Amino acid sequence: MKKIGNDVFTFPVGDTATWARIGISAPGNATAEFLAEYFDGPHSDANNTDGTLNNSSVIEYWTLNRVGSSPGDDVQVTLYWEDTVRSGIDDGTDLRVARYTGTQWTDEGQAAISYNLAGWVQSNTVSNFSPFTFGSLSGSVNPLPIELLNFKAKWDNNIQTRAKVEWTTASEINNDYFELEHSNNAINWQKIATIPGSGNSNEMIYYSFYDEHPYDDRTYYRLNQVDYDGSYKYSDIVVVSKSNFIEIISIFPNPSEDIINVIILSSFDASVNLSIVDASGKKVYEFKNIIKPGDRKST
């Protein structure tokens, strides 16, 4: 997305399922031109820091480029998150804006921060522009955690009474182990396996487990990823089913004055029309999309 001008601006970027804004302070010139884009996934050199940071995010990043190089157009950069859990953020004090220099991620500071479930962190004034993401000074907080490339479940082709659950990580930081849980209602969960993690890795790693005792009709699965220090994070929910279904798993936060997340699961290709109404019955948002098996759609 392109912006031209000398006013404060927030780029309303993201992808089909994630809203992830990036902002700049006011440039000095009316002709200043900036380009911004968001990437829901790890940078190709994620978490390779230069020593000013302990770690950088392996979940997401932005590119922010300035056309031209006028010193008067140096700006502060603001990164937004909409969900601390999703972005791996659990401490505002150590959180920083990180910038990729071309070889490593470096600390661009924390000039200001709004630390909430949805919030933002602003850098010091920067004069060089390249990829940006969240960084942390300490390894004990803001894990900016493992990057889970996929997590899926399906009936085993060889033994139809069991389910195969598999997942792949792109990178791992202090990952002690995974706990795999299943449920027949996505509310009450039972641990069925503990799978050792790979500690620290920047390589793609594949995991799988066979559930010999799934529920008769529908079985939900989720991962609990546990770090060496005992901190943990749950994955999205996936499901196997012997009959077709589509359902809303979760709506949060509720009540809300701004952003509402709606989590939908489906066992088949489905065209979804979802309307959100306020307390008076007035339609405030309409969502139309195609849901495929294993998708987790949020609005």
Side-chain angles (χ1 to χ4, degrees), residues 146 172-178 194-200 207 225-231:
I146 68 165
E172 301 183 19
I173 302 172
N174 299 323
N175 181 24
D176 191 2
Y177 58 90
F178 297 95
T194 300
I195 299 94
S198 298
N200 296 283
Y207 299 87
Q225 183 269 317
V226 184
D227 287 344
Y228 291 127
D229 63 2
S231 59

Side-chain angles (χ1 to χ4, degrees), residues 15 18 38-44 46 57-62 86 105 132-133 147-149 170-171:
D15 67 7
T18 304
Y38 171 74
F39 297 87
D40 185 11
H43 185 269
S44 59
S57 176
V58 296
I59 294 176
E60 58 197 341
Y61 70 97
W62 295 258
R86 181 192 178 280
W105 292 92
F132 290 87
T133 194
E147 170 60 17
L148 197 64
L149 286 181
S171 59

Side-chain angles (χ1 to χ4, degrees), residues 138-156:
S138 170
S140 62
V141 294
N142 296 318
L144 308 168
I146 68 165
E147 170 60 17
L148 197 64
L149 286 181
N150 57 64
F151 176 48
K152 54 188 177 181
K154 61 183 180 181
W155 294 111
D156 183 13

